[in-house]
Amino acid sequence: MHYVLNAPRQLHFGTSRNEVAQFTAGIRKLFGALLRVYLDFTDVQLAAPAAALYVAAEIDRWRQHRNVWTKPRVYDFAAWAPSIRRYFRDVGLFELLEVANLPDDPPSASPTKVLRMRRNDSVDPASVVQLRDELHTLCGSVPNSLNFFDALCEAMNNVIHHAYKDPDPDDWPRLHNRWWMTADFDPKNGQLRIAFLDQGVGIPARLPRSGLWEHLEGYMTQFFPGRNDDASRIQAALQYGRSSTGHQGRGQGFHDMQMFVDGSPHNWMRVLSGFGEVLYRDRQWVSTQHAEPVVGTIVEWSLLVPEG
């Protein structure tokens, strides 16, 4: 028996968030089924790092909970759009998922550079140094790199210490403490896009069971009157600038990243968790409540890298 995963036309949270969420929800329904899965991205015309990574992580979770023979396969690879074939090959999707029928394609001629998808369950110094070097190679130099990598390491540590602490409300199998990451850089416009995610219980679900909630309830009443949805919870947690433990010094990664985004009006940060989405740009917050949930927490940054 086999199952074909038909990806939506746009793997992009900015334009097709609910479609991406519905697609990955279909992947989760495969847990427990002994099927041979085929990846059919024939219809895909646009792929951005965060949505592409989210899809890859969900397939990765399914694959690692099945036997070796259930490694996914690509379907009708020649019919995929050339840019999509190149992107997923360059970004390491096929290696991450250990695709059984590894497709052959000529070297990419795209000027966009990519940081290959990776997963990890720790934050050891050697891996952080390697990641720093790879990002510097990708775009020449990450601006304010010391603060940036401190914040990124804090986000990774937050995954390991907090994201998987609570049980999954839907009882989906988990790859505990795992985080996934990728990035790309377009030298034509100097745009560096970074995506980082986990498959934990998510920010909105964690907050009511945390020491921070008693502080946030009053904060939300003041700034979000009449609202107690996922989007307002995410925004409140980010604006409050403290972690779910209620202690200073832990969970400052998002706060540091906000300061980093403030370095240019072209920079922005998006956080998605549950039904909520919060976009931070030019010192402004835009929160949106959606019809379809995403699993875990997804953070994406778009940063302008100055020439030289």
Side-chain angles (χ1 to χ4, degrees), residues 263-303:
S264 169
H266 300 284
N267 295 346
W268 54 263
M269 175 178 73
R270 190 193 336 256
V271 180
L272 305 100
S273 191
F275 293 90
E277 172 183 341
V278 174
L279 178 68
Y280 179 68
R281 183 173 191 169
D282 202 17
R283 302 182 187 274
Q284 300 293 320
W285 302 85
V286 178
S287 60
T288 307
Q289 188 75 1
H290 292 280
E292 299 289 337
V294 299
V295 171
T297 300
I298 305 163
V299 187
E300 57 177 328
W301 301 275
S302 178
L303 308 172

Short mmCIF file of all heavy atoms in Angstrom, two decimals, residues 263-303:
data_model
loop_
_atom_site.label_atom_id
_atom_site.label_comp_id
_atom_site.label_asym_id
_atom_site.label_seq_id
_atom_site.Cartn_x
_atom_site.Cartn_y
_atom_site.Cartn_z
N GLY A 263 17.13 46.69 14.29
CA GLY A 263 18.30 47.29 13.65
C GLY A 263 18.04 47.83 12.26
O GLY A 263 18.84 48.61 11.74
N SER A 264 16.94 47.43 11.62
CA SER A 264 16.63 47.91 10.28
C SER A 264 15.13 47.82 10.05
O SER A 264 14.49 46.85 10.47
CB SER A 264 17.36 47.07 9.22
OG SER A 264 16.86 47.37 7.92
N PRO A 265 14.53 48.81 9.36
CA PRO A 265 13.09 48.74 9.05
C PRO A 265 12.76 47.62 8.07
O PRO A 265 11.57 47.29 7.89
CB PRO A 265 12.79 50.11 8.44
CG PRO A 265 14.11 50.61 7.93
CD PRO A 265 15.14 50.06 8.87
N HIS A 266 13.78 47.04 7.45
CA HIS A 266 13.56 45.94 6.51
C HIS A 266 13.51 44.59 7.23
O HIS A 266 13.13 43.59 6.62
CB HIS A 266 14.66 45.91 5.45
CG HIS A 266 14.76 47.17 4.64
ND1 HIS A 266 13.87 47.48 3.63
CD2 HIS A 266 15.62 48.21 4.71
CE1 HIS A 266 14.19 48.65 3.10
NE2 HIS A 266 15.25 49.11 3.74
N ASN A 267 13.91 44.54 8.49
CA ASN A 267 13.93 43.28 9.24
C ASN A 267 12.55 42.97 9.82
O ASN A 267 11.77 43.88 10.11
CB ASN A 267 14.92 43.37 10.40
CG ASN A 267 16.36 43.53 9.94
OD1 ASN A 267 16.68 43.33 8.77
ND2 ASN A 267 17.24 43.90 10.86
N TRP A 268 12.26 41.70 9.99
CA TRP A 268 11.04 41.29 10.66
C TRP A 268 11.19 39.91 11.28
O TRP A 268 12.10 39.16 10.92
CB TRP A 268 9.81 41.32 9.74
CG TRP A 268 9.92 40.56 8.45
CD1 TRP A 268 10.25 41.06 7.22
CD2 TRP A 268 9.66 39.15 8.25
NE1 TRP A 268 10.21 40.06 6.27
CE2 TRP A 268 9.85 38.88 6.88
CE3 TRP A 268 9.28 38.11 9.09
CZ2 TRP A 268 9.69 37.60 6.33
CZ3 TRP A 268 9.11 36.83 8.56
CH2 TRP A 268 9.32 36.60 7.18
N MET A 269 10.30 39.61 12.20
CA MET A 269 10.27 38.31 12.87
C MET A 269 8.82 37.83 12.95
O MET A 269 7.92 38.62 13.23
CB MET A 269 10.85 38.41 14.29
CG MET A 269 10.75 37.12 15.09
SD MET A 269 11.51 37.26 16.75
CE MET A 269 10.28 38.29 17.57
N ARG A 270 8.62 36.54 12.68
CA ARG A 270 7.27 35.97 12.76
C ARG A 270 7.32 34.75 13.68
O ARG A 270 8.22 33.92 13.57
CB ARG A 270 6.78 35.55 11.37
CG ARG A 270 5.31 35.16 11.37
CD ARG A 270 4.82 34.45 10.11
NE ARG A 270 5.58 34.70 8.92
CZ ARG A 270 5.20 35.50 7.91
NH1 ARG A 270 4.08 36.18 8.01
NH2 ARG A 270 5.95 35.63 6.84
N VAL A 271 6.36 34.65 14.60
CA VAL A 271 6.23 33.52 15.50
C VAL A 271 4.85 32.89 15.29
O VAL A 271 3.84 33.59 15.35
CB VAL A 271 6.41 33.93 16.98
CG1 VAL A 271 6.27 32.72 17.89
CG2 VAL A 271 7.77 34.60 17.19
N LEU A 272 4.84 31.59 15.04
CA LEU A 272 3.59 30.86 14.85
C LEU A 272 3.53 29.71 15.84
O LEU A 272 4.52 28.98 16.01
CB LEU A 272 3.48 30.30 13.43
CG LEU A 272 3.64 31.28 12.26
CD1 LEU A 272 5.05 31.21 11.70
CD2 LEU A 272 2.63 30.99 11.18
N SER A 273 2.39 29.55 16.49
CA SER A 273 2.20 28.46 17.44
C SER A 273 0.71 28.27 17.67
O SER A 273 -0.01 29.25 17.90
CB SER A 273 2.91 28.77 18.76
OG SER A 273 2.96 27.63 19.59
N GLY A 274 0.24 27.03 17.61
CA GLY A 274 -1.19 26.79 17.74
C GLY A 274 -1.95 27.50 16.64
O GLY A 274 -1.57 27.46 15.46
N PHE A 275 -3.01 28.20 17.02
CA PHE A 275 -3.82 28.94 16.05
C PHE A 275 -3.31 30.38 15.86
O PHE A 275 -3.90 31.13 15.10
CB PHE A 275 -5.28 28.98 16.50
CG PHE A 275 -5.97 27.65 16.49
CD1 PHE A 275 -5.95 26.84 17.62
CD2 PHE A 275 -6.62 27.20 15.35
CE1 PHE A 275 -6.59 25.60 17.62
CE2 PHE A 275 -7.26 25.96 15.34
CZ PHE A 275 -7.24 25.16 16.47
N GLY A 276 -2.27 30.74 16.57
CA GLY A 276 -1.84 32.13 16.59
C GLY A 276 -0.62 32.43 15.72
O GLY A 276 0.19 31.55 15.43
N GLU A 277 -0.52 33.69 15.31
CA GLU A 277 0.63 34.19 14.56
C GLU A 277 0.89 35.63 15.00
O GLU A 277 -0.04 36.43 15.15
CB GLU A 277 0.35 34.17 13.06
CG GLU A 277 1.42 34.85 12.22
CD GLU A 277 1.08 34.89 10.74
OE1 GLU A 277 0.22 34.08 10.30
OE2 GLU A 277 1.66 35.72 10.02
N VAL A 278 2.16 35.93 15.23
CA VAL A 278 2.54 37.29 15.59
C VAL A 278 3.69 37.72 14.69
O VAL A 278 4.70 37.03 14.59
CB VAL A 278 2.96 37.40 17.07
CG1 VAL A 278 3.51 38.79 17.37
CG2 VAL A 278 1.78 37.10 17.98
N LEU A 279 3.53 38.86 14.05
CA LEU A 279 4.56 39.44 13.19
C LEU A 279 5.06 40.71 13.85
O LEU A 279 4.27 41.57 14.25
CB LEU A 279 3.98 39.76 11.81
CG LEU A 279 4.94 40.42 10.81
CD1 LEU A 279 6.04 39.46 10.38
CD2 LEU A 279 4.18 40.92 9.58
N TYR A 280 6.39 40.81 13.99
CA TYR A 280 7.01 41.99 14.58
C TYR A 280 7.88 42.66 13.53
O TYR A 280 8.79 42.05 12.98
CB TYR A 280 7.86 41.60 15.79
CG TYR A 280 8.55 42.77 16.46
CD1 TYR A 280 7.81 43.74 17.13
CD2 TYR A 280 9.93 42.89 16.42
CE1 TYR A 280 8.44 44.81 17.75
CE2 TYR A 280 10.57 43.95 17.04
CZ TYR A 280 9.82 44.91 17.71
OH TYR A 280 10.45 45.98 18.31
N ARG A 281 7.57 43.92 13.23
CA ARG A 281 8.31 44.64 12.20
C ARG A 281 8.23 46.14 12.47
O ARG A 281 7.15 46.66 12.78
CB ARG A 281 7.73 44.34 10.81
CG ARG A 281 8.48 44.99 9.66
CD ARG A 281 7.95 44.50 8.33
NE ARG A 281 8.80 44.90 7.23
CZ ARG A 281 8.70 44.44 5.99
NH1 ARG A 281 7.80 43.52 5.71
NH2 ARG A 281 9.51 44.86 5.05
N ASP A 282 9.37 46.82 12.35
CA ASP A 282 9.43 48.28 12.52
C ASP A 282 8.79 48.69 13.84
O ASP A 282 8.03 49.65 13.90
CB ASP A 282 8.73 48.96 11.34
CG ASP A 282 9.21 50.40 11.15
OD1 ASP A 282 10.28 50.76 11.68
OD2 ASP A 282 8.50 51.17 10.46
N ARG A 283 9.10 47.93 14.89
CA ARG A 283 8.63 48.18 16.25
C ARG A 283 7.10 48.09 16.38
O ARG A 283 6.51 48.64 17.32
CB ARG A 283 9.12 49.54 16.77
CG ARG A 283 10.64 49.67 16.76
CD ARG A 283 11.10 51.01 17.31
NE ARG A 283 12.53 51.17 17.15
CZ ARG A 283 13.45 50.73 18.00
NH1 ARG A 283 13.08 50.08 19.08
NH2 ARG A 283 14.74 50.93 17.78
N GLN A 284 6.47 47.40 15.45
CA GLN A 284 5.02 47.23 15.48
C GLN A 284 4.68 45.74 15.56
O GLN A 284 5.38 44.90 15.01
CB GLN A 284 4.37 47.83 14.23
CG GLN A 284 4.60 49.33 14.06
CD GLN A 284 3.92 50.15 15.12
OE1 GLN A 284 2.79 49.87 15.51
NE2 GLN A 284 4.61 51.19 15.60
N TRP A 285 3.58 45.43 16.26
CA TRP A 285 3.11 44.06 16.41
C TRP A 285 1.80 43.88 15.64
O TRP A 285 0.91 44.69 15.72
CB TRP A 285 2.84 43.75 17.88
CG TRP A 285 4.01 43.92 18.78
CD1 TRP A 285 4.41 45.09 19.38
CD2 TRP A 285 4.92 42.92 19.21
NE1 TRP A 285 5.51 44.86 20.16
CE2 TRP A 285 5.85 43.53 20.07
CE3 TRP A 285 5.05 41.56 18.95
CZ2 TRP A 285 6.88 42.85 20.68
CZ3 TRP A 285 6.07 40.86 19.55
CH2 TRP A 285 6.98 41.49 20.40
N VAL A 286 1.72 42.78 14.91
CA VAL A 286 0.48 42.40 14.23
C VAL A 286 0.18 40.95 14.61
O VAL A 286 0.96 40.05 14.27
CB VAL A 286 0.58 42.55 12.71
CG1 VAL A 286 -0.73 42.09 12.06
CG2 VAL A 286 0.91 43.98 12.31
N SER A 287 -0.90 40.73 15.32
CA SER A 287 -1.26 39.37 15.72
C SER A 287 -2.50 38.91 14.95
O SER A 287 -3.42 39.69 14.71
CB SER A 287 -1.53 39.29 17.23
OG SER A 287 -2.58 40.14 17.60
N THR A 288 -2.49 37.65 14.56
CA THR A 288 -3.58 37.08 13.75
C THR A 288 -3.98 35.73 14.31
O THR A 288 -3.11 34.90 14.62
CB THR A 288 -3.13 36.91 12.28
OG1 THR A 288 -2.62 38.15 11.79
CG2 THR A 288 -4.29 36.46 11.42
N GLN A 289 -5.27 35.50 14.42
CA GLN A 289 -5.80 34.22 14.86
C GLN A 289 -6.28 33.46 13.62
O GLN A 289 -7.04 33.99 12.80
CB GLN A 289 -6.96 34.42 15.84
CG GLN A 289 -7.46 33.17 16.50
CD GLN A 289 -6.54 32.64 17.59
OE1 GLN A 289 -5.51 33.23 17.88
NE2 GLN A 289 -6.93 31.53 18.21
N HIS A 290 -5.83 32.21 13.45
CA HIS A 290 -6.12 31.45 12.24
C HIS A 290 -7.10 30.31 12.51
O HIS A 290 -7.35 29.93 13.66
CB HIS A 290 -4.82 30.89 11.65
CG HIS A 290 -3.90 31.94 11.10
ND1 HIS A 290 -4.08 32.51 9.86
CD2 HIS A 290 -2.80 32.53 11.63
CE1 HIS A 290 -3.12 33.40 9.64
NE2 HIS A 290 -2.33 33.43 10.70
N ALA A 291 -7.59 29.74 11.42
CA ALA A 291 -8.56 28.64 11.51
C ALA A 291 -7.89 27.29 11.70
O ALA A 291 -8.50 26.36 12.22
CB ALA A 291 -9.43 28.61 10.26
N GLU A 292 -6.63 27.17 11.24
CA GLU A 292 -5.91 25.90 11.31
C GLU A 292 -4.69 26.05 12.22
O GLU A 292 -3.96 27.04 12.12
CB GLU A 292 -5.45 25.46 9.92
CG GLU A 292 -6.57 25.22 8.92
CD GLU A 292 -7.37 23.97 9.24
OE1 GLU A 292 -6.83 23.08 9.94
OE2 GLU A 292 -8.53 23.89 8.80
N PRO A 293 -4.43 25.07 13.10
CA PRO A 293 -3.29 25.18 14.00
C PRO A 293 -2.00 24.66 13.37
O PRO A 293 -2.02 23.82 12.47
CB PRO A 293 -3.69 24.30 15.18
CG PRO A 293 -4.51 23.21 14.54
CD PRO A 293 -5.26 23.87 13.40
N VAL A 294 -0.88 25.17 13.86
CA VAL A 294 0.41 24.58 13.57
C VAL A 294 0.92 23.93 14.84
O VAL A 294 0.61 24.37 15.96
CB VAL A 294 1.45 25.60 13.05
CG1 VAL A 294 0.99 26.24 11.77
CG2 VAL A 294 1.74 26.66 14.10
N VAL A 295 1.68 22.85 14.70
CA VAL A 295 2.18 22.09 15.84
C VAL A 295 3.49 22.70 16.30
O VAL A 295 4.36 23.04 15.48
CB VAL A 295 2.37 20.61 15.47
CG1 VAL A 295 3.11 19.87 16.57
CG2 VAL A 295 1.02 19.97 15.21
N GLY A 296 3.68 22.82 17.61
CA GLY A 296 4.93 23.34 18.15
C GLY A 296 5.02 24.84 18.02
O GLY A 296 4.03 25.56 18.06
N THR A 297 6.25 25.32 17.84
CA THR A 297 6.52 26.75 17.69
C THR A 297 7.47 26.95 16.53
O THR A 297 8.49 26.27 16.42
CB THR A 297 7.14 27.34 18.97
OG1 THR A 297 6.23 27.16 20.06
CG2 THR A 297 7.43 28.82 18.80
N ILE A 298 7.11 27.87 15.65
CA ILE A 298 7.93 28.20 14.49
C ILE A 298 8.35 29.65 14.59
O ILE A 298 7.51 30.53 14.84
CB ILE A 298 7.15 27.99 13.17
CG1 ILE A 298 6.58 26.57 13.10
CG2 ILE A 298 8.02 28.30 11.96
CD1 ILE A 298 5.49 26.40 12.08
N VAL A 299 9.62 29.92 14.43
CA VAL A 299 10.12 31.28 14.44
C VAL A 299 10.89 31.50 13.14
O VAL A 299 11.73 30.69 12.76
CB VAL A 299 11.07 31.56 15.62
CG1 VAL A 299 11.42 33.04 15.69
CG2 VAL A 299 10.45 31.10 16.93
N GLU A 300 10.56 32.58 12.45
CA GLU A 300 11.31 32.92 11.24
C GLU A 300 11.72 34.39 11.30
O GLU A 300 10.99 35.23 11.80
CB GLU A 300 10.53 32.62 9.97
CG GLU A 300 9.18 33.28 9.84
CD GLU A 300 8.51 32.98 8.50
OE1 GLU A 300 9.22 32.81 7.50
OE2 GLU A 300 7.27 32.92 8.47
N TRP A 301 12.92 34.65 10.81
CA TRP A 301 13.46 36.00 10.77
C TRP A 301 13.86 36.33 9.33
O TRP A 301 14.37 35.48 8.61
CB TRP A 301 14.72 36.12 11.62
CG TRP A 301 14.53 35.80 13.08
CD1 TRP A 301 14.10 36.63 14.06
CD2 TRP A 301 14.79 34.56 13.72
NE1 TRP A 301 14.08 35.99 15.27
CE2 TRP A 301 14.49 34.70 15.09
CE3 TRP A 301 15.24 33.30 13.27
CZ2 TRP A 301 14.65 33.68 16.01
CZ3 TRP A 301 15.39 32.28 14.19
CH2 TRP A 301 15.09 32.47 15.54
N SER A 302 13.62 37.55 8.95
CA SER A 302 14.12 38.06 7.69
C SER A 302 14.99 39.29 8.03
O SER A 302 14.50 40.24 8.64
CB SER A 302 12.98 38.47 6.76
OG SER A 302 13.48 39.02 5.55
N LEU A 303 16.25 39.23 7.66
CA LEU A 303 17.21 40.24 8.07
C LEU A 303 17.95 40.80 6.86
O LEU A 303 18.33 40.04 5.96
CB LEU A 303 18.23 39.65 9.05
CG LEU A 303 17.65 38.90 10.25
CD1 LEU A 303 18.76 38.20 11.01
CD2 LEU A 303 16.89 39.85 11.16
#
